[in-house]
């Protein structure tokens, strides 16, 4: 095996965002672009030499070509073994599972998560550390710094590696193990959930479920577990075949992009339980018949009911949520007498808390929920958790949530996304909003009095690291909130996200329509931030 040293020059745009490096496919297809980033990983993650690397992705366009490049570079850098999902397929939580189970020195996950796929859409790559989680900022900063000083990269002179047949092979001295992408993950789920009770639920004639895999990576996982192992009828999993362009659809499990599932669930004779997952399998949407469960409520409900599930029967030690996520989980933590942490957006911020044993369940309002079983959010895990609850409690999704509201109160909550806003105009909006913060505390806005206005900063309680500028918060007396932040997951323009929350303890006022209940706060948000002035938008692109 010959090793080529290829001369290169740095790219200035390879700083990883919230979860890895994401760009349009055409950017990654530039000569040396992917190779430069991978070289920076090998330059900084020296334990990979002589170690084991997990490799796979969500099957989107350019996935297979990228895997070939990475395998050749891994061989050139002395990696002893690479574990690859069959056909290059690995969901993000399944990759984390493999890293942890086989105690590898890390993994490279190829995905742009919920972003669109195809030759004119998006691609992404991120390094996960040996704990199975996304690299923390310290590591991503080291990788970025290395990209800025590259003059060459190393790659083996091999044309093609077979990743379409299970088994092991050699690339020089490096072993390549092509594995069933579902097997180890499914075994982990069996250890956490009561498969017998869920199987019995599917065997009960009245119960029906629909799972939308959105032509993304979760299709094979959902088919194996829901249909083959739990006995759900064939066809329970819709759009199950992973496609490089996700069938031309946006693989984001929300009420807009999972329209077909929502329509099915809203019918008079619709299924009892509906769920969807995203491009790489780490997000989830939960639906009852004609009933949407917000991700914030989902986290709170799972935390309050964890004792019903075998893997969490001994109790949970703590809960962590991203700052924009509603405060519903905080009330559950207080009731249980456990810690609750508020972190910046990005699953990497949960890693230290999980590794230190301070939390068991984590969640983000952006349809991400997970636990200490892996170090990624996990869409199918959340679906199985809900299935287990349905099998134990013998109630509908709607009744479970409304019972939760009666006990803890309801947090009316919405997120408004203004997508593909001019980046400079979006930055101007945020900067001017930050400039206004010192004068807002104590001020009356509409019928609400501001109790705190700040730009959220987080000090990690485990390692003491500080992350600043994580989103503007305007908190009101009584528990209502406005949060503004720019998303770090898109590749075109900027996405301004507005989060609006109002706490309602009175059960007699739990049946209000969400947007109507929050309308006064939404109006305050538009006025205080000058959304129309800075973005030119009258209304958001997506409401969840």
């Amino acid at each position: 095996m010959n090793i080529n040293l290829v001369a290169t020059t740095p790219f200035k745009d390879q700083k990883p965002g919230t979860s890895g490096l994401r760009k349009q496919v055409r950017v990654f297809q530039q000569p040396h672009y992917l190779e430069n980033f991978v070289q920076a990983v090998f330059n900084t993650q020296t334990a990979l030499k002589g170690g084991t690397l997990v490799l796979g992705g969500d099957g989107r366009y350019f996935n297979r070509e990228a895997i070939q490049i990475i395998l050749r570079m891994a061989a050139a850098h002395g990696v002893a073994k690479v574990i690859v999902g069959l056909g290059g397929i690995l969901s993000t939580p399944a990759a984390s599972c493999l890293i942890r189970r086989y105690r590898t020195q890390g993994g490279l996950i190829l995905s742009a998560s919920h972003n669109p796929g195809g030759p004119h859409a998006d691609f992404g790559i991120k390094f996960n550390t040996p704990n199975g989680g996304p690299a923390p900022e310290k590591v991503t900063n080291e990788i970025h710094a290395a990209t800025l000083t590259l003059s060459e990269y190393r790659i083996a002179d091999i044309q093609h590696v077979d990743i379409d047949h299970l088994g092991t092979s050699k690339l020089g001295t490096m072993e390549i193990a092509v594995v069933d992408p579902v097997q180890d993950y499914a075994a982990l789920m069996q250890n956490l959930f009561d498969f017998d009770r869920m199987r019995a639920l599917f065997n009960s004639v009245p119960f029906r479920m629909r799972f939308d895999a959105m032509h993304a990576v979760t299709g094979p996982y959902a088919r194996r577990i829901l249909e083959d192992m739990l006995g759900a009828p064939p066809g329970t999993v819709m759009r199950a075949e992973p496609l490089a362009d996700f069938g031309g659809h946006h693989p984001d499990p929300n009420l807009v992009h999972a329209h077909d599932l929502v329509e099915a669930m809203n019918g008079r004779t619709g299924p009892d339980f509906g769920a969807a997952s995203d491009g790489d399998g780490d997000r989830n949407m939960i639906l009852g018949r004609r009933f949407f469960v917000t991700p914030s409520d989902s986290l709170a409900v799972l935390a309050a009911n964890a004792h019903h599930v075998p893997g969490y029967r001994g109790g949970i030690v703590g809960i962590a949520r991203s700052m924009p996520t509603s405060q519903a989980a905080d009330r559950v933590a207080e009731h249980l007498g456990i810690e609750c942490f508020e972190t910046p957006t990005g699953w990497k911020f949960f890693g230290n808390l999980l590794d230190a044993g301070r939390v068991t369940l984590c969640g983000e309002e952006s349809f991400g929920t997970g636990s200490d079983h892996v170090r990624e959010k996990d869409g199918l895990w959340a679906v199985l958790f809900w299935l287990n609850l349905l099998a134990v409690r013998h109630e509908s999704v709607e009744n479970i949530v409304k019972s939760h509201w009666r006990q803890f109160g309801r947090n009316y909550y919405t997120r408004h996304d203004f997508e593909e806003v001019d980046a400079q105009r979006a930055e101007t909006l945020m900067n001017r909003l930050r400039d206004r913060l010192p004068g807002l505390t104590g001020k009356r806005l509409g019928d609400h009095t501001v109790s705190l206005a700040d730009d959220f900063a987080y000090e990690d309680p485990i390692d003491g690291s500080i992350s600043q500028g994580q989103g503007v918060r305007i908190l009101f007396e009584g528990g209502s909130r406005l949060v503004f932040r720019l998303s770090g997951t898109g590749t075109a323009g900027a996405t301004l996200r507005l989060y609006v929350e109002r706490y309602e303890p009175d059960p007699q006022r739990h049946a209000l329509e969400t947007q109507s209940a929050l309308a006064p706060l939404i109006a305050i948000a538009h006025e205080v931030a000058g959304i129309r002035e800075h973005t030119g938008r009258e209304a958001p692109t997506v409401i969840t």
Side-chain angles (χ1 to χ4, degrees), residues 363-493:
E364 296 184 324
E365 53 72 35
S366 53
F367 296 83
T369 328
S371 84
D372 57 0
H373 69 292
V374 291
R375 293 297 182 268
E376 291 277 5
K377 49 185 174 279
D378 189 346
L380 191 51
W381 168 90
V383 175
L384 292 171
F385 205 131
W386 269 96
L387 265 178
N388 206 149
L389 292 187
L390 293 171
V392 171
R393 291 190 50 165
H394 302 291
E395 298 177 67
S396 69
V397 171
E398 180 177 0
N399 285 344
I400 288 174
V401 174
K402 288 184 174 179
S403 174
H404 182 91
W405 290 342
R406 284 193 295 272
Q407 180 178 0
F408 294 100
R410 180 176 181 183
N411 286 72
Y412 282 100
Y413 182 86
T414 190
R415 186 180 92 188
H416 288 196
D417 287 2
F418 299 82
E419 296 178 340
E420 296 188 10
V421 175
D422 177 81
Q424 185 173 355
R425 296 180 72 179
E427 286 287 354
T428 299
L429 180 151
M430 293 298 294
N431 289 335
R432 290 188 179 178
L433 187 55
R434 290 186 186 100
D435 290 341
R436 293 194 62 185
L437 293 179
L440 288 179
T441 300
K443 188 173 182 178
R444 189 82 172 168
L445 298 179
D447 294 331
H448 300 269
T449 301
V450 177
S451 60
L452 175 69
D454 68 1
D455 196 353
F456 181 62
Y458 175 69
E459 182 176 354
D460 191 302
I462 309 304
D463 65 15
S465 61
I466 297 176
S467 300
Q468 297 180 326
Q470 297 296 317
V472 170
R473 302 185 301 176
I474 301 176
L475 282 58
F476 299 100
E477 294 177 359
S480 295
R481 296 193 307 163
L482 302 175
V483 175
F484 304 82
R485 60 181 294 272
L486 299 183
S487 170
T489 60
T491 64

Side-chain angles (χ1 to χ4, degrees), residues 47 67 70 134 157 179 183 191 194 203 223 229 254 295 315 363 421 445 453 479-480 494-495 516 531-532:
I67 285 177
I70 294 168
D157 189 13
V179 302
Q183 182 175 319
N191 288 334
D194 191 336
N203 286 334
R223 268 184 171 167
M229 299 175 71
N254 60 42
V421 175
L445 298 179
S480 295
T495 295
S516 297
I531 291 177
R532 179 182 177 184

